[in-house]
Amino acid sequence: MSDPTMTMLDASQATGAVYRIGDAAARSGVSAANIRYYEREGLIAPQGRADNSYRVYSDADVHRLRFIRLCRAMDMSLDEVRTLLALDLRSKADCDAACVTLDAHLGHVRERLRELRSLEKDLIALRDCCDGTDAECHIIGTLHARADRESPPDPPRARATRHV
């Protein structure tokens, strides 16, 4: 009979399966290039290398990659993912830390939604300036007019040098 307290992660660690990077990518839905990137960022560490020098990954690594993919699909930053990966699902203090992390991320998402709503209004207004019946496109004309009104930030001034 199986232990009812064993988590999915514990069960996957118990199988002892070993995967090369391509297999880990296929099983996790994370590309091999992203797996290497997550390794460089310290989000995952392969179990080591096989005799043929291929990176090898365990079921626990594949689970971790799926966790990372899920968090990234929710537009979490690598730092937010790193924070969540470091937490223990059985700790009340870590539950509180997860809530703080998610609340902060939710704040970022809400700000981005405000920005996107503003952008949507701007695009609708831009689209409404042209019905396609005139000889010239008012959308393109409006964009050119806006580009003329936009001024680039002032370039940094070179410090005057005195020649002696």
Side-chain angles (χ1 to χ4, degrees):
M1 177 155 250
S2 66
D3 179 3
T5 62
M6 184 180 277
T7 67
M8 292 291 287
L9 184 57
D10 295 333
S12 69
Q13 289 172 330
T15 66
V18 176
Y19 307 104
R20 291 185 352 195
I21 195 167
D23 296 326
R27 290 177 175 275
S28 66
V30 176
S31 72
N34 277 353
I35 292 173
R36 289 184 197 97
Y37 174 69
Y38 294 150
E39 286 176 11
R40 286 191 304 272
E41 290 295 319
L43 295 173
I44 187 159
Q47 298 301 310
R49 294 200 180 251
D51 293 338
N52 56 8
S53 296
Y54 288 129
R55 290 176 168 95
V56 292
Y57 301 87
S58 67
D59 283 325
D61 294 325
V62 170
H63 172 81
R64 189 174 181 97
L65 288 166
R66 288 178 182 151
F67 183 94
I68 293 167
R69 180 177 48 86
L70 175 65
C71 291
R72 296 294 285 157
M74 289 187 273
D75 202 36
M76 290 185 195
S77 70
L78 291 182
D79 285 337
E80 290 166 331
V81 175
R82 192 175 286 109
T83 296
L84 293 174
L85 282 169
L87 302 177
D88 180 346
L89 66 103
R90 295 179 187 100
S91 164
K92 175 65 176 131
D94 283 0
C95 179
D96 294 342
C99 287
V100 167
T101 300
L102 267 279
D103 288 343
H105 182 63
L106 190 55
H108 299 137
V109 168
R110 287 177 175 148
E111 176 59 31
R112 184 69 181 132
L113 284 170
R114 282 189 290 277
E115 292 169 357
L116 287 171
R117 284 186 197 104
S118 176
L119 175 61
E120 178 185 35
K121 288 177 184 175
D122 195 31
L123 290 171
I124 289 170
L126 182 61
R127 176 61 185 93
D128 287 346
C129 75
C130 187
D131 64 6
T133 59
D134 290 342
E136 58 185 52
C137 180
H138 296 287
I139 293 172
I140 296 171
T142 301
L143 288 171
H144 281 292
R146 284 186 187 179
D148 287 341
R149 287 193 306 265
E150 293 280 325
S151 59
D154 291 332
R157 291 184 172 188
R159 293 177 63 180
T161 57
R162 292 180 15 190
H163 293 73
V164 180

